[in-house]
Amino acid sequence: MYKIVILLLLALSLRAESDYELGKGVQVASLPLYLGGYFSLDYRHMDEQERYRLDDLALLGYGSYEKFSYMAEFEYKSFYVQTKTPQNDRLEKDTTLHTERLYLDYNYDDNCVLRIGKYNSPIGFWNLLPVNVLRQTTSSPVSTDIIFPKFTTGLGGSYTSYGEGELHLELMAQNNEDLDNKYNNYKIDEHYGVNVLYEKDEYALKVNAGYFHKIDTINEPDNLYYYLLSAKYDTEKYQFLAELGSQYSEEKTTTPYAGYIQGLYRFTEQHIGSIRVESYEDRIINEQDEIAIVAYTYRPLYPVAIKSEYQFHSLSSQNQFLFSFSVLF
Amino acid sequence: MKKTHQILLPLLFISLPAIAGEYAVVSNQNMKDLTLIEIKAIFLKKITLIDDVKIVPINLEARDDLRLKFEEKVLNMSFSRLKTYWTKEHYLGHRPPISMKSQESIKAFINNVDGSIGYVNIENVEQNMKIIYKWSD
């Protein structure tokens, strides 16, 4: 039934918008509802494995009315995954429509916004724009996956003030299960976090710290604390981005460090090169790795990305080539 | 000939400031004073309320000369960087400011809608408008 509703809304909105531009979404009639979406196709080649994937097939809906605004995002994750190894050829399809984000914001006053629902945890810079078409490389840094919960389901509140620069304080609070806990890197029932961002001209600095409680764990610490420090320098031609964090429990350090530094150069609006160096130690799975990534992105239009990258790992069996095609509409 | 140069060259430099365009970010008289960083935040839709009034930033159309000047001098962002910014904001659920075809439309909108803010050539500023910020070529 929901598929019929979605198709109807899309048809209605495409009829309404004659000056549609890719990456801008469409308004449904004159309602406070904009629709958009994105998808990603990717290919991965490793020594003994090849993978073809249709990932992130997502629909976005959002709008605002008076002091309220909302966002809904539903997504097919790993919709089609074909993996080939010398031993076998495997095909997996996940046709469950997941709830990636679903929240309501209320602009309390000039400086404060309150939020309820499921949202991207505002931790670091990468985690706020995690979809393939918007990020710089097909892959995401390991540190964005092993330190903090990517999503929070609960309450949020932020305070922003403008002086010489922009100061932004934000709190996250979850004391219930995830709205769709299959769609999170950790299954959690508690998360409390704080985010402090200072931005001036081309510079932005961010400090995050928090606590979360994992469920469904066996022989692993379930009360975990984390912190993440992030910095960004962004100009017309260059961008430097760095994030470094750690995770620990009361008994032991689970991830002593995980971080990356990435440099990006825009040769032209369409051609972008980037280099990323990563390092991490994960004591839960007992793995330590250093990674160097060289990547190139071609954007015929900004909302269309054709990307390739090669990853050199200190664990050489993990060396890989990635290629992807992604679109935001 | 040499004498003519000696007379004309200084005249040319004196006349340059006169031909440089002057522009203003304007609103109605109810708007409070704003800093440059707040104006930027309004046009990037980071500030949406001021004194509990909904703020409505208004742009000229995409390739309008004055809009490009405003984006370069006030927002300090190129056309392509702004396109990138609004594509990312689409994913975050935010829309770019509304666009109008002419400075006349912007003036009419500002006169009628509390909280609206736009930019015009300085000679188009009317008495009932408040100049929030001025810049020149």
Side-chain angles (χ1 to χ4, degrees), chain A residues 23-25 34 62 67 71 101 107 110 120 128 130 134 162-166 234 236 269 302 328-329, chain B residues 37-38 41 46-52 77-78 80-81 83-84 86-88 90-95:
Chain A
K24 289 270 174 73
Y34 292 86
Y62 63 87
K67 287 181 155 190
M71 161 59 76
R101 293 182 290 168
N107 259 53
D110 294 7
N120 289 113
L128 290 175
L134 296 179
Y162 294 88
E164 291 285 302
E166 176 186 336
D234 200 2
E236 291 283 336
E269 210 178 308
Y302 188 81
L328 180 77
F329 52 88
Chain B
I37 196 164
E38 286 172 319
K46 290 178 171 185
I47 291 178
T48 56
L49 283 178
I50 290 181
D51 295 335
D52 226 29
M77 291 169 90
S78 67
S80 68
R81 205 162 171 211
K83 266 201 308 187
T84 304
W86 286 114
T87 305
K88 289 176 178 174
H90 166 52
Y91 170 77
L92 296 172
H94 303 140
R95 306 296 300 172

Side-chain angles (χ1 to χ4, degrees), chain A residues 21-174:
Chain A
E21 257 182 80
L22 204 60
K24 289 270 174 73
V26 285
Q27 187 174 16
V28 178
S30 298
L31 299 169
L33 170 60
Y34 292 86
L35 290 178
Y38 58 89
F39 69 85
S40 163
L41 292 163
D42 67 50
Y43 166 74
R44 184 175 77 179
H45 178 87
M46 296 171 78
D47 269 355
E48 298 211 321
Q49 192 198 75
E50 276 187 306
R51 184 190 70 194
Y52 301 86
R53 188 169 65 163
L54 169 55
D55 197 26
D56 292 353
L57 184 56
L59 182 79
L60 306 169
Y62 63 87
S64 62
Y65 184 74
E66 302 289 335
K67 287 181 155 190
F68 291 93
S69 56
Y70 65 91
M71 161 59 76
E73 181 181 356
F74 304 103
E75 177 171 319
Y76 291 108
K77 187 82 182 158
S78 305
F79 189 68
Y80 176 97
V81 186
Q82 187 179 15
T83 314
K84 291 178 178 178
T85 61
Q87 290 78 38
N88 65 19
D89 193 342
R90 202 171 66 241
L91 179 65
E92 291 160 279
K93 287 180 184 174
D94 182 355
T95 53
T96 316
L97 191 63
H98 296 288
T99 306
E100 180 154 336
R101 293 182 290 168
L102 187 64
Y103 60 78
L104 180 70
D105 280 350
Y106 175 68
N107 259 53
Y108 178 73
D109 62 19
D110 294 7
N111 306 95
C112 299
V113 177
L114 304 172
R115 174 171 289 182
I116 185 166
K118 181 176 182 181
Y119 53 92
N120 289 113
S121 307
I123 301 170
F125 294 108
W126 196 283
N127 196 53
L128 290 175
L129 294 166
V131 298
N132 190 4
V133 63
L134 296 179
R135 58 186 191 235
Q136 298 307 334
T137 53
T138 302
S139 65
S140 289
V142 176
S143 60
T144 61
D145 203 44
I146 62 169
I147 294 180
F148 53 83
K150 289 182 179 181
F151 294 96
T152 302
T153 301
L155 300 172
S158 66
Y159 171 86
T160 311
S161 87
Y162 294 88
E164 291 285 302
E166 176 186 336
L167 178 67
H168 184 78
L169 307 171
E170 201 161 1
L171 298 171
M172 301 156 254
Q174 170 172 350

Side-chain angles (χ1 to χ4, degrees), chain A residues 176-244:
Chain A
N176 42 262
E177 286 205 13
D178 198 302
L179 194 62
D180 181 352
N181 72 12
K182 200 180 169 202
Y183 206 97
N184 205 346
N185 54 333
Y186 290 110
K187 285 185 169 54
I188 57 171
D189 62 0
E190 270 185 277
H191 180 207
Y192 302 99
V194 61
N195 166 32
V196 181
L197 165 73
Y198 184 73
E199 213 170 344
K200 188 176 181 225
D201 304 325
E202 287 90 9
Y203 299 91
L205 294 168
K206 212 168 180 183
V207 178
N208 284 101
Y211 156 82
F212 63 98
H213 179 252
K214 277 203 306 185
I215 51 176
D216 296 346
T217 55
I218 304 161
N219 300 327
E220 277 176 24
D222 53 1
N223 287 306
L224 293 162
Y225 300 85
Y226 66 85
Y227 70 83
L228 189 81
L229 309 172
S230 320
K232 185 162 75 170
Y233 175 70
D234 200 2
T235 68
E236 291 283 336
K237 280 279 174 196
Y238 303 93
Q239 187 195 70
F240 292 101
L241 186 60
E243 297 187 341
L244 177 68

